[in-house]
Amino acid sequence: MNLELRTLVYGRKMEIRHVPVLTCLSCTESEVPMQVADDIKKLIKKSDKEAEIKQISFAEIHEWADVIRQVLMNTEDQELEEWEQPLEEARQERINLLLDLYRYASDSGDTRWMNEVESRLKQLSMAAPDLLLSNIKR
């Protein structure tokens, strides 16, 4: 399986860029990893209520997609199994950054900011590379 970032088009009125997708090299079947699928569905449901055509970068609103985008931008094409270490290192770096932000928000007494950072941390906690690899149909 290859890990790629693709653009998903929904109902001719929404274009979602930077969506992580797993693609089988032999049969070309593709699937969105379960770690982001629910968040994609929530984004689509939320945008269904709006009339205008939208272009959204999923990496701008989802921590795991952004970590994947950063790793893919900085490495060459590889089999998915070779991504485990770079993805885990990048995920840990992002978690550390978010924990620093959380501490600062807590020291500032900004509960709204704390809740936002906590939500971003949850996205990363569900997205360990070994979980990604273990959910691939071989």
Side-chain angles (χ1 to χ4, degrees):
M1 299 288 276
N2 267 351
L3 179 61
E4 305 171 338
L5 292 177
R6 290 200 183 161
T7 298
L8 299 181
V9 178
Y10 175 75
R12 293 188 200 172
K13 71 177 206 174
M14 180 178 226
E15 187 176 288
I16 309 169
R17 296 182 323 274
H18 305 124
V19 176
V21 175
L22 299 169
T23 304
C24 177
L25 296 174
S26 59
C27 72
T28 67
E29 182 179 322
S30 297
E31 65 181 63
V32 175
M34 68 176 205
Q35 291 86 348
V36 298
D38 287 340
D39 294 319
I40 295 275
K41 290 175 189 174
K42 288 176 190 172
L43 177 63
I44 289 171
K45 188 174 183 178
K46 177 181 172 186
S47 295
D48 264 350
K49 298 173 186 172
E50 300 169 11
E52 77 238 19
I53 297 173
K54 285 193 165 190
Q55 291 186 345
I56 299 169
S57 170
F58 191 60
E60 291 178 5
I61 59 173
H62 196 278
E63 290 297 318
W64 183 227
D66 191 45
V67 167
I68 292 171
R69 185 175 63 86
Q70 294 294 328
V71 170
L72 288 176
M73 285 177 19
N74 296 317
T75 55
E76 304 204 11
D77 290 340
Q78 300 176 17
E79 290 281 329
L80 185 61
E81 290 78 6
E82 297 169 13
W83 292 99
E84 187 172 0
Q85 183 177 351
L87 281 173
E88 181 57 22
E89 289 171 3
R91 187 178 78 91
Q92 287 300 321
E93 287 176 23
R94 183 68 58 92
I95 287 171
N96 290 338
L97 173 68
L98 290 172
L99 288 172
D100 288 343
L101 285 174
Y102 187 86
R103 187 180 71 236
Y104 186 77
S106 177
D107 291 347
S108 301
D110 190 335
T111 55
R112 187 171 142 230
W113 190 12
M114 290 169 58
N115 291 337
E116 179 185 329
V117 172
E118 187 176 328
S119 172
R120 293 166 65 184
L121 281 164
K122 285 180 185 175
Q123 290 173 351
L124 290 171
S125 69
M126 303 228 1
D130 57 337
L131 288 175
L132 181 67
L133 292 170
S134 68
N135 289 300
I136 296 172
K137 298 174 190 167
R138 296 206 188 265

